[in-house]
Structures are given as C-alpha cells and as structure tokens.
Amino acid sequence: MRINLFVLALISLLLLAGCSQQETLKKTEDLVIPTFEYILENGYPVNDKGETYGPDMGNMMIIDEPDLILAQGENSIIGYVKKVEMDVPKPKTPEEAVKLNNPPPREVTLYDIDGETIIGTFWIGK
C-alpha cells in the first residue's frame, strides 16, 4: 500500500513536470523520461532490447504498464524498475493472502533505460 502511494506521488509529480514541458522526451542527466503527451500520442517508447519504458500511467490511460517503470530509488536516484520484479505472486489460499497483505520490505534493482545497467536500489515497503 505504501509503495503504491509513493509510486502514485512520484508519477503525479512527474506528470505535472511533464505536462509543463514542450519537449516530447526529456532527459534528466543521462536518463530519458517520456512525457505524458508523448505517451498519449505515441505509446511508451521502446529501448534497444524492445522493452517499453516510462512512468506507470495507472488508470489514466488504456495502456498497459511499461516493462520498465520509472522509480526513485535510494539516495534519490531516478531510474527504472522491471515490472516483472515488482509483481508479487497471487495468493492461492486465504492464508497466503493474509501473509501477502503485510509483506516484509524487499529490495528491487534500479536500472538505466537499457534495462541492464544497474544504477541503484529501490525498496518496496520500506
């Protein structure tokens, strides 16, 4: 729950910043972040490996989450987390559902736009 609020707050901030930009793609240091307008017009951009990347637009659009989701990790490093690494297993029993309701914090790798270069750590539930 806390991670969802954090990601939502980060996305909202990025959307506000993106909506005020005239560019279609903006670059933060060496990180390319697609703007809201760019994603609406063109869909998520794709890296050299064929992975889509950008902020998770949530219920704002009828577009699936990108393969690489924009996130802010430790030490305020901004990068991308892999959607498959963020997903949690679906519970098969009520007991499993209770355990998954309050999971311990876990570490997820923060990547550059290529989805390979590790640039930091992102914590879920910390």
Side-chain angles (χ1 to χ4, degrees), residues 4-17 54-58 60 69-70:
N4 290 340
L5 291 175
F6 173 77
V7 171
L8 182 61
L10 178 62
I11 290 170
S12 298
L13 177 63
L14 291 170
L15 285 175
L16 289 174
D56 178 7
M57 305 304 268
M60 298 177 66
I69 302 169
L70 187 66

Side-chain angles (χ1 to χ4, degrees), residues 52-73:
T52 55
Y53 64 89
D56 178 7
M57 305 304 268
N59 294 333
M60 298 177 66
M61 299 173 44
I62 306 176
I63 293 180
D64 289 335
E65 295 173 317
D67 300 315
L68 302 171
I69 302 169
L70 187 66
Q72 182 173 1

Side-chain angles (χ1 to χ4, degrees), residues 43 75 117 122:
N75 301 322
T117 306
F122 179 77

Side-chain angles (χ1 to χ4, degrees), residues 67-74 77-86 106-112 114-124:
D67 300 315
L68 302 171
I69 302 169
L70 187 66
Q72 182 173 1
E74 287 187 318
I77 297 173
I78 296 177
Y80 292 97
V81 292
K82 291 184 179 181
K83 179 183 181 293
V84 295
E85 293 178 5
M86 297 287 291
R106 68 182 174 103
E107 182 179 36
V108 177
T109 305
L110 192 65
Y111 297 94
D112 196 354
D114 62 9
E116 290 180 3
T117 306
I118 297 171
I119 60 172
T121 300
F122 179 77
W123 281 92
I124 299 173

